[in-house]
């Protein structure tokens, strides 16, 4: 099995290192693999002048699964958009057809106190956000900058969804709902946007194939509010690329820290790229302060969704739960005044628990 590691920038290399060590711990006669490491994002730009070097893309196409750290950093802020680290990530998603982004927000009972929300609101929280990942205003054309008639600068982007793009992500969401509690909430802005009116129409059409799933629709502004007011009303949330980007960061904080949230980005056959929802956190890069658990939990998603080893995924998730139950915390999930462990010790603790 070929696994490609893409550490990227900022804290990426530190958290990927811990995740790979955890993966090594799982190596067995019936679980053999080969890990290749390649640059992406700012690291790709530094080494190859390209945030998605050709060699990285080629390896990605050959790999069974990809584990990614994070991209981006202040050194690259002034590059033209096509060379920015984020483009490496957006292009690899697009090139590999990774249209289905699964972002589970699950509260670990040990971390109830780490959230800024009341325990009574978040206890038992278990949401799955299904975010469309290769369309929408992220990729719509035309886009760019121009000068208006009066010589003013103007920026513009295009929000856009084709029917077939909505159908395939809706199918993914309905099927996930069938494996959970048969409840799906589709989030859009159909009171304002034509793209959303079509989105809602198509989701309704797809729903006829899933009569056992109860479908509701919600405007994105209300969804943002409801996520804070009563997050447990949600089970599976289906949404487009930009709304999903925003709502998934928001949902992460319900669970105490964005440092805990894994994600999977899958193509039509289940091959995928797995990455933490958090970013490259350049302010703490290289200081052994990052939480590696979102990446380690992304590894568990890789085992479950791409490598067909849900047994190992559950073992790994169990090990993370154990370390948290034993009271170990990185600084992002600690409560005031409690002692914390660093990135590498947290990784080691998970390996010991395994
Ligand atoms: C995410 C990130 C990316 C996105 C950025 C880094 C391009 O915020 O995965 O949520 O906007 O999709
Ligand atoms: Mg984001």
């Amino acid at each position: 099995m070929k696994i490609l590691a893409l550490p990227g920038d900022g804290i990426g290399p530190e958290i990927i290192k811990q995740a790979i060590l955890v993966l090594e711990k799982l190596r067995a006669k019936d679980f053999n693999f080969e890990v290749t490491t390649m640059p992406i994002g700012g690291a790709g730009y530094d080494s190859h002048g390209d945030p998605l070097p050709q060699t990285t893309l080629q390896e990605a196409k050959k790999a069974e699964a990809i584990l990614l750290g994070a991209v981006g950093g202040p050194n690259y802020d002034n590059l033209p958009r096509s060379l920015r680290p984020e483009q490496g990530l957006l292009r690899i998603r697009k090139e590999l057809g990774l249209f289905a982004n699964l972002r589970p927000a699950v509260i670990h009972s040990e971390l109830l106190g780490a959230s800024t929300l009341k325990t009574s609101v978040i206890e038992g929280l278990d949401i799955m956000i299904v975010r469309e990942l290769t369309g929408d205003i992220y990729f719509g054309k035309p886009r760019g900058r121009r000068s208006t008639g009066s010589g003013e600068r103007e920026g513009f982007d295009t929000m856009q969804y084709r029917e077939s793009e909505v159908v395939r992500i809706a199918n993914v969401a309905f099927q996930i709902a069938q494996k959970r509690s048969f409840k799906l909430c589709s989030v859009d802005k159909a009171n304002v946007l034509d793209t959303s009116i079509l989105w809602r129409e198509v989701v309704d059409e797809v729903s006829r194939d899933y009569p056992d799933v109860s479908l509701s629709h919600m405007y994105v502004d209300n969804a943002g509010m409801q996520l804070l007011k009563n997050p447990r009303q949600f089970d599976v949330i289906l949404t487009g690329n930009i709304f999903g980007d925003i709502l998934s960061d928001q949902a992460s904080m319900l669970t105490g820290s964005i440092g805990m949230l894994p994600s999977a980005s899958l193509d039509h056959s289940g091959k995928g790229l797995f990455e933490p929802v958090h970013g490259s956190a350049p302010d703490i890069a290289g200081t052994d302060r990052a939480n590696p658990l979102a990446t380690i939990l992304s590894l568990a998603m890789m085992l479950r969704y791409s490598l067909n080893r849900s047994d190992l995924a559950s073992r790994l998730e169990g090990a993370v739960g154990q370390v948290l139950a034993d009271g170990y915390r990185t600084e992002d999930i600690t409560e005031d005044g409690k002692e914390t462990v660093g990135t590498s010790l947290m990784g080691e603790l998970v390996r010991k628990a395994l």
Side-chain angles (χ1 to χ4, degrees):
M1 229 149 35
K2 273 180 175 305
I3 293 171
L4 177 63
L6 303 175
D9 310 321
I11 58 172
E14 296 161 67
I15 53 180
I16 288 292
K17 180 176 170 198
Q18 293 310 314
I20 298 299
L21 289 169
V22 166
L23 184 63
E24 284 300 340
K25 187 89 190 168
L26 294 172
R27 191 186 285 283
K29 266 205 202 87
D30 67 343
F31 185 61
N32 213 346
F33 55 86
E34 185 190 306
V35 181
T36 313
T37 302
M38 296 251 155
I40 193 168
Y45 175 77
D46 289 340
S47 61
H48 293 72
D50 184 350
L52 181 60
Q54 270 306 318
T55 42
T56 299
L57 181 59
Q58 273 162 16
E59 279 303 314
K61 286 183 175 160
K62 281 191 256 164
E64 252 88 45
I66 303 160
L67 187 66
L68 184 138
V71 299
N75 294 351
Y76 311 103
D77 279 351
N78 296 320
L79 289 171
R81 190 172 53 81
S82 67
L83 294 176
R84 289 183 59 120
E86 291 79 5
Q87 287 301 313
L89 184 55
L90 296 175
R91 276 169 52 206
I92 199 170
R93 289 172 177 169
K94 190 75 172 174
E95 290 275 353
L96 299 183
L98 306 173
F99 68 93
N101 187 213
L102 314 187
R103 299 191 158 185
V106 179
I107 182 97
H108 290 258
S109 52
E110 298 83 7
L111 296 185
L112 281 168
S115 177
T116 51
L117 277 89
K118 289 190 190 118
T119 296
S120 59
V121 173
I122 53 172
E123 200 165 20
L125 182 88
D126 183 352
I127 297 176
M128 176 67 92
I129 298 182
V130 179
R131 168 190 177 196
E132 200 290 331
L133 202 58
T134 53
D136 204 355
I137 196 165
Y138 271 60
F139 294 95
K141 290 208 173 91
R143 65 184 296 164
R145 284 165 72 113
R146 62 193 164 203
S147 181
T148 64
S150 62
E152 208 186 341
R153 286 168 303 163
E154 178 177 67
F156 58 100
D157 297 273
T158 302
M159 180 176 267
Q160 186 172 55
Y161 265 121
R162 263 177 294 126
E163 182 179 351
S164 54
E165 292 175 297
V166 183
V167 168
R168 66 179 182 178
I169 192 69
N171 275 307
V172 169
F174 276 105
Q175 283 158 25
I176 289 176
Q178 283 180 322
K179 290 190 191 136
R180 294 171 55 106
S181 49
F182 298 88
K183 246 177 71 182
L184 177 63
C185 179
S186 172
V187 172
D188 62 36
K189 188 70 185 172
N191 51 346
V192 177
L193 302 171
D194 280 310
T195 315
S196 282
I197 296 173
L198 178 78
W199 173 281
R200 194 176 277 219
E201 214 171 280
V202 174
V203 171
D204 276 332
E205 287 159 16
V206 173
S207 76
R208 291 186 206 125
D209 294 335
Y210 302 91
D212 51 349
V213 175
S214 93
L215 170 69
S216 59
H217 297 280
M218 197 181 278
Y219 299 138
V220 63
D221 49 348
N222 186 26
M225 189 262 278
Q226 296 294 337
L227 266 177
L228 294 182
K229 186 179 174 200
N230 177 17
R232 279 178 313 216
Q233 72 187 279
F234 296 106
D235 191 67
V236 182
I237 293 178
L238 162 65
T239 192
N241 205 346
I242 185 91
F243 299 152
D245 179 46
I246 298 164
L247 292 178
S248 60
D249 265 36
Q250 190 183 335
S252 74
M253 279 318 290
L254 304 172
T255 72
S257 167
I258 196 166
M260 291 300 298
L261 254 66
S263 80
S265 307
L266 306 174
D267 73 2
H268 59 90
S269 72
K271 169 172 166 170
L273 180 150
F274 301 82
E275 57 175 320
V277 169
H278 63 69
S280 58
D283 52 324
I284 59 166
T287 61
D288 196 48
R289 285 163 66 197
N291 183 350
L293 293 180
T295 313
I296 290 172
L297 291 169
S298 300
L299 192 60
M301 289 189 91
M302 172 191 286
L303 291 162
R304 179 168 289 119
Y305 289 99
S306 281
L307 305 182
N308 228 339
R309 290 300 299 260
S310 43
D311 57 327
L312 295 180
S314 302
R315 240 182 88 195
L316 186 47
E317 287 159 351
V320 170
Q322 182 62 54
V323 170
L324 293 174
D326 289 345
Y328 296 106
R329 302 282 185 272
T330 43
E331 64 182 62
D332 57 308
I333 48 175
T334 189
E335 289 164 66
D336 281 350
K338 297 224 176 105
E339 211 182 307
T340 60
V341 301
T343 312
S344 44
L345 182 51
M346 188 52 116
E348 195 181 315
L349 289 162
V350 172
R351 294 195 291 281
K352 275 211 186 108
L354 272 175

